[in-house]
CSV table of all heavy atoms in Angstrom, one decimal:
chain,number,residue,atom,x,y,z
Y,453,THR,N,143.9,31.0,11.5
Y,453,THR,CA,144.5,31.8,10.4
Y,453,THR,C,145.7,31.0,9.9
Y,453,THR,O,146.3,30.1,10.5
Y,453,THR,CB,145.0,33.2,11.0
Y,453,THR,OG1,146.1,32.9,11.9
Y,453,THR,CG2,143.9,33.9,11.7
Y,454,GLU,N,146.1,31.4,8.7
Y,454,GLU,CA,147.2,30.7,8.0
Y,454,GLU,C,148.5,31.1,8.7
Y,454,GLU,O,149.5,30.4,8.6
Y,454,GLU,CB,147.3,31.1,6.6
Y,454,GLU,CG,146.1,30.5,5.7
Y,454,GLU,CD,146.2,30.8,4.3
Y,454,GLU,OE1,147.1,31.6,3.9
Y,454,GLU,OE2,145.4,30.3,3.5
Y,455,SER,N,148.5,32.2,9.5
Y,455,SER,CA,149.7,32.6,10.2
Y,455,SER,C,149.9,31.9,11.5
Y,455,SER,O,150.9,32.2,12.2
Y,455,SER,CB,149.7,34.1,10.4
Y,455,SER,OG,148.6,34.5,11.1
Y,456,GLY,N,148.9,31.1,11.9
Y,456,GLY,CA,149.1,30.3,13.1
Y,456,GLY,C,148.4,30.8,14.4
Y,456,GLY,O,148.9,30.6,15.5
Y,457,PHE,N,147.3,31.6,14.2
Y,457,PHE,CA,146.6,32.1,15.3
Y,457,PHE,C,145.1,31.6,15.3
Y,457,PHE,O,144.5,31.5,14.3
Y,457,PHE,CB,146.6,33.7,15.3
Y,457,PHE,CG,147.9,34.3,15.7
Y,457,PHE,CD1,148.9,34.5,14.8
Y,457,PHE,CD2,148.1,34.7,17.0
Y,457,PHE,CE1,150.1,35.1,15.1
Y,457,PHE,CE2,149.3,35.3,17.4
Y,457,PHE,CZ,150.3,35.5,16.5
Y,458,LEU,N,144.6,31.3,16.5
Y,458,LEU,CA,143.2,30.9,16.6
Y,458,LEU,C,142.4,32.1,17.2
Y,458,LEU,O,142.7,32.6,18.2
Y,458,LEU,CB,143.1,29.7,17.6
Y,458,LEU,CG,141.7,29.1,17.8
Y,458,LEU,CD1,141.2,28.5,16.5
Y,458,LEU,CD2,141.7,28.1,18.9
Y,459,HIS,N,141.4,32.5,16.4
Y,459,HIS,CA,140.5,33.6,16.8
Y,459,HIS,C,139.2,33.1,17.4
Y,459,HIS,O,138.5,32.3,16.7
Y,459,HIS,CB,140.2,34.5,15.6
Y,459,HIS,CG,141.4,35.4,15.2
Y,459,HIS,ND1,141.2,36.4,14.2
Y,459,HIS,CD2,142.6,35.4,15.6
Y,459,HIS,CE1,142.4,37.0,14.1
Y,459,HIS,NE2,143.3,36.4,14.9
Y,460,LYS,N,139.0,33.4,18.6
Y,460,LYS,CA,137.7,33.0,19.3
Y,460,LYS,C,136.8,34.2,19.1
Y,460,LYS,O,137.0,35.3,19.7
Y,460,LYS,CB,138.0,32.7,20.8
Y,460,LYS,CG,136.7,32.4,21.6
Y,460,LYS,CD,137.1,32.2,23.0
Y,460,LYS,CE,135.9,32.0,23.9
Y,460,LYS,NZ,136.2,31.8,25.3
Y,461,THR,N,135.7,34.0,18.4
Y,461,THR,CA,134.8,35.1,18.0
Y,461,THR,C,133.4,34.8,18.4
Y,461,THR,O,132.9,33.6,18.2
Y,461,THR,CB,134.9,35.2,16.5
Y,461,THR,OG1,136.2,35.4,16.1
Y,461,THR,CG2,134.1,36.4,16.0
Y,462,VAL,N,132.7,35.8,18.9
Y,462,VAL,CA,131.3,35.6,19.3
Y,462,VAL,C,130.5,36.5,18.3
Y,462,VAL,O,130.9,37.6,18.0
Y,462,VAL,CB,131.0,36.0,20.7
Y,462,VAL,CG1,131.4,37.5,21.0
Y,462,VAL,CG2,129.5,35.9,21.1
Y,463,LEU,N,129.4,36.0,17.8
Y,463,LEU,CA,128.6,36.7,16.8
Y,463,LEU,C,127.4,37.5,17.5
Y,463,LEU,O,126.7,36.9,18.3
Y,463,LEU,CB,128.0,35.7,15.8
Y,463,LEU,CG,129.0,34.9,15.0
Y,463,LEU,CD1,128.2,34.0,14.0
Y,463,LEU,CD2,130.0,35.7,14.3
Y,464,LEU,N,127.4,38.8,17.3
Y,464,LEU,CA,126.4,39.7,18.0
Y,464,LEU,C,125.6,40.4,16.9
Y,464,LEU,O,126.0,40.4,15.7
Y,464,LEU,CB,127.1,40.7,18.9
Y,464,LEU,CG,128.1,40.1,19.9
Y,464,LEU,CD1,128.8,41.2,20.7
Y,464,LEU,CD2,127.3,39.2,20.9
Y,465,LYS,N,124.6,41.0,17.3
Y,465,LYS,CA,123.7,41.8,16.4
Y,465,LYS,C,124.5,42.9,15.7
Y,465,LYS,O,124.3,43.3,14.6
Y,465,LYS,CB,122.5,42.3,17.1
Y,465,LYS,CG,121.5,41.2,17.5
Y,465,LYS,CD,120.3,41.8,18.2
Y,465,LYS,CE,119.3,40.7,18.6
Y,465,LYS,NZ,118.1,41.3,19.2
Y,466,LYS,N,125.4,43.5,16.5
Y,466,LYS,CA,126.1,44.7,16.0
Y,466,LYS,C,127.3,44.2,15.2
Y,466,LYS,O,128.1,45.1,14.6
Y,466,LYS,CB,126.5,45.6,17.1
Y,466,LYS,CG,125.4,46.3,17.8
Y,466,LYS,CD,125.9,47.2,18.9
Y,466,LYS,CE,124.7,47.9,19.6
Y,466,LYS,NZ,125.2,48.8,20.7
Y,467,GLY,N,127.6,43.0,15.1
Y,467,GLY,CA,128.7,42.5,14.3
Y,467,GLY,C,129.5,41.5,15.2
Y,467,GLY,O,129.2,41.2,16.3
Y,468,ALA,N,130.6,41.0,14.6
Y,468,ALA,CA,131.4,40.0,15.3
Y,468,ALA,C,132.4,40.7,16.3
Y,468,ALA,O,132.8,41.8,16.0
Y,468,ALA,CB,132.2,39.2,14.2
Y,469,HIS,N,132.6,40.0,17.4
Y,469,HIS,CA,133.5,40.5,18.4
Y,469,HIS,C,134.5,39.4,18.7
Y,469,HIS,O,134.2,38.3,19.1
Y,469,HIS,CB,132.8,40.8,19.7
Y,469,HIS,CG,133.7,41.1,20.9
Y,469,HIS,ND1,134.5,42.2,20.9
Y,469,HIS,CD2,133.9,40.4,22.0
Y,469,HIS,CE1,135.2,42.2,22.0
Y,469,HIS,NE2,134.8,41.1,22.7
Side-chain angles (χ1 to χ4, degrees):
T453 69
E454 293 181 354
S455 57
F457 285 86
L458 182 67
H459 285 188
K460 177 182 173 182
T461 307
V462 59
L463 303 182
L464 306 174
K465 291 182 179 180
K466 295 183 179 180
H469 171 66

